[in-house]
Amino acid sequence: MVTQTASWNYRDAHTDAFGRTYFRRFGDGVVSSIGLGTYLGAATDAVDDAYHDAVVNAVENGISVVDTARNYRCQRSERVVGDAVADADVDREALLVASKCGFVPFDGERPADPGAYVHDRFVENGPLAREDLVAGQHAITPAFVHDQLDQSLQSLDVDVLDLYYLHNPEVQLAEHDRETVYDAIEDAFVALEGRVADGDLRQYGVASWECFRVDRDHPKYLSLAEVVSRARSAADRAGNAATSFRAVQLPFNVHMADAFTEESQPSADGDVSVLELANTAGIDVFTSASLAQGSLANADAIPEAVASKLDGDTPAQRAINFARSAPGVTSALVGTTSTAHVADDVAAGTFDPLGADAFDATFE
């Protein structure tokens, strides 16, 4: 579990190598404003080995945020993160390790008959009823959340997980109305609040793709304010004095800037962007797709009018610095299995991010 003392010691050991605000507050500690994601890649031993080396290299050189999920690469990413963090020459309590549950995960490889696998593992012999599944692959029931968190703790080989996300709850809107989905989210949060009280989990959040950055008429829209309200209700139901809902994860990059530009989230001051609302509410934001799955690492991928305002020696570094310059962003996640790319990503942090006015100017 990431702790105040260990995270500040990690910051002190690395801060001289980085630019302004590279390390940012997370609770009573600090984390790096560049994180490592583990979504991409085939479910093979070779990719496991590459991820292991990438994670070790990253955390030993100034990246203290590692993000994974139950379903990434058929559970392989979660397992390799656990192995790599254990093998790295770094205090485990200096690192923020996050995982997610929601999508039904395969085990090691895609089965020949996915439907039969899901039925046997999760319905016939597991925590789900058939009606709990949306599109045959997604569930957020309390029983499923408990089952998946238990598996995450085992795969990551930790007693306490730092941050656990409900993964893309907007998937539920394909088969349920919005109020039903909010109710289901609250029930899932009650389960997570219970695990916080039990000492298995420190904080939780929502990892999304569309729901917080689309307009209100969009079929996948969810209100972050309502989600936060449901988290407070969940804490009350679980008997906790305050909610441990802490973070959201969402895509943000030069070409997917809706989290900053789309003002569809209700607040006391009227509709605002999800980044503004999260910042005002003290919710940490972790950006995914910071390199748009690598496409922004290509020359000329960033419009020259924007690229000219960003510091960095490579297109990838400038793209990373755009993502972590957005107001309210705690850490921009970058996925890679290459230690060379890790070095490039780490080097992005040696440059200062844009200030608020300069960031706003990129949209003029």
Side-chain angles (χ1 to χ4, degrees), residues 7 12 33 56 96 102 112 122 155 168 184 193-194 223 243 266 293 330 332 353:
S7 67
D12 291 344
S33 58
V56 170
L96 172 64
F122 293 99
S155 294
N168 289 17
E193 290 282 353
S223 161
T243 180
Q293 297 190 354
T330 299

Side-chain angles (χ1 to χ4, degrees), residues 195-211:
R195 300 302 290 268
V196 171
D198 291 342
D200 301 320
L201 177 64
R202 189 175 183 191
Q203 287 121 0
Y204 67 93
V206 167
S208 67
W209 186 252
E210 296 175 289
C211 63

Side-chain angles (χ1 to χ4, degrees), residues 13-340:
H14 292 279
T15 191
D16 290 344
F18 294 103
R20 174 177 53 85
T21 70
Y22 176 74
F23 287 98
R24 299 178 182 177
R25 295 299 297 264
F26 181 80
D28 57 7
V30 289
V31 296
S32 60
S33 58
I34 299 172
L36 187 69
T38 58
Y39 170 68
L40 299 175
T44 64
D45 292 346
V47 175
D48 285 352
D49 292 343
Y51 261 127
H52 177 277
D53 293 347
V55 172
V56 170
N57 187 278
V59 300
E60 289 183 348
N61 286 283
I63 288 178
S64 65
V65 177
V66 184
D67 180 85
T68 190
R70 291 288 302 138
N71 64 309
Y72 286 177
R73 301 179 49 256
C74 304
Q75 302 185 50
R76 285 172 174 261
S77 285
E78 197 174 57
R79 291 165 182 163
V80 79
V81 166
D83 290 342
V85 166
D87 292 343
D89 186 18
V90 175
D91 185 345
R92 166 64 186 89
E93 294 184 345
L95 306 178
L96 172 64
V97 177
S99 192
K100 316 175 186 72
C101 70
F103 290 101
V104 172
F106 299 137
D107 192 354
E109 61 183 2
R110 182 178 178 82
D113 187 339
Y117 166 82
V118 171
H119 179 271
D120 291 346
R121 163 63 178 87
F122 293 99
V123 178
E124 185 72 17
N125 301 295
L128 294 174
R130 178 63 188 88
E131 57 269 23
D132 295 332
L133 284 163
V134 168
Q137 64 170 342
H138 193 271
I140 56 173
T141 64
F144 185 64
V145 168
H146 283 302
D147 175 84
Q148 293 298 282
L149 179 53
D150 287 341
Q151 294 299 313
S152 289
L153 292 168
Q154 180 177 329
S155 294
L156 291 165
D157 193 22
V158 294
D159 294 324
V160 184
L161 188 55
D162 300 310
L163 178 59
Y164 208 51
Y165 294 106
L166 208 60
H167 199 179
N168 289 17
E170 63 263 42
V171 172
Q172 295 286 312
L173 290 165
E175 297 182 14
H176 303 294
D177 64 75
R178 191 166 285 113
E179 193 64 23
T180 298
V181 173
Y182 285 136
D183 288 345
I185 289 171
E186 181 176 326
D187 288 344
F189 285 175
V190 172
L192 292 169
E193 290 282 353
R195 300 302 290 268
V196 171
D198 291 342
D200 301 320
L201 177 64
R202 189 175 183 191
Q203 287 121 0
Y204 67 93
V206 167
S208 67
W209 186 252
E210 296 175 289
C211 63
F212 297 134
R213 59 184 187 89
V214 294
D215 65 68
R216 290 197 188 197
D217 294 329
H218 195 284
K220 295 294 181 67
Y221 172 84
L222 291 174
S223 161
L224 178 57
E226 180 63 21
V227 168
V228 172
S229 175
R230 295 308 186 106
R232 290 172 179 151
S233 295
D236 288 342
R237 289 170 59 188
N240 294 346
T243 180
S244 292
F245 182 90
R246 178 74 203 201
V248 294
Q249 186 180 126
L250 46 79
F252 186 78
N253 60 55
V254 172
H255 297 305
M256 298 173 66
D258 315 75
F260 180 77
T261 60
E262 178 61 54
E263 296 181 343
S264 61
Q265 292 294 323
S267 78
D269 298 320
D271 285 356
V272 296
S273 72
V274 65
L275 284 181
E276 182 174 345
L277 180 61
N279 194 25
T280 301
I283 297 169
D284 288 275
V285 176
F286 295 80
T287 67
S288 58
S290 301
L291 291 182
Q293 297 190 354
S295 65
L296 290 175
N298 299 322
D300 303 323
I302 303 174
E304 177 56 30
V306 177
S308 64
K309 295 180 173 68
L310 296 165
D311 287 334
D313 290 331
T314 66
Q317 290 175 3
R318 289 187 284 274
I320 292 167
N321 285 333
F322 177 86
R324 70 190 190 96
S325 294
V329 169
T330 299
S331 189
L333 303 174
V334 185
T336 182
T337 59
S338 164
T339 54

Side-chain angles (χ1 to χ4, degrees), residues 1-13:
M1 178 178 74
V2 62
T3 64
Q4 178 182 19
T5 299
S7 67
W8 280 100
N9 287 342
Y10 183 92
R11 179 255 186 203
D12 291 344

